[in-house]
Amino acid sequence: MDEQLTLETPIDRVAEQRALLRLRHSAALTNLMVEREDLRGVHALADTIDDAIRWSA
């Protein structure tokens, strides 16, 4: 049982780190888009993420 826990723990840790990184990246992108409105339309994925975050707020 202990062996199974030690094998799952690193995977869970990586999943949590990825989720936190995704949130931090989305927040930074939103802040950038607020500060630099001239960037809108430059990168379609950035626009999509920014719009999705604004609609969910």
Side-chain angles (χ1 to χ4, degrees):
M1 180 89 172
D2 288 334
E3 292 176 14
Q4 190 176 21
L5 286 176
T6 56
L7 291 176
E8 292 178 1
T9 302
I11 294 171
D12 292 339
R13 191 175 329 131
V14 169
E16 184 178 342
Q17 288 173 345
R18 282 182 151 186
L20 291 173
L21 182 61
R22 189 177 302 120
L23 288 173
R24 191 172 72 207
H25 180 72
S26 297
L29 177 62
T30 300
N31 289 337
L32 177 64
M33 297 299 275
V34 166
E35 293 174 7
R36 298 274 316 271
E37 292 184 17
D38 60 314
L39 293 177
R40 185 161 277 292
V42 173
H43 195 280
L45 181 59
D47 290 345
T48 302
I49 292 171
D50 185 47
D51 289 339
I53 292 171
R54 289 173 189 253
W55 277 102
S56 67

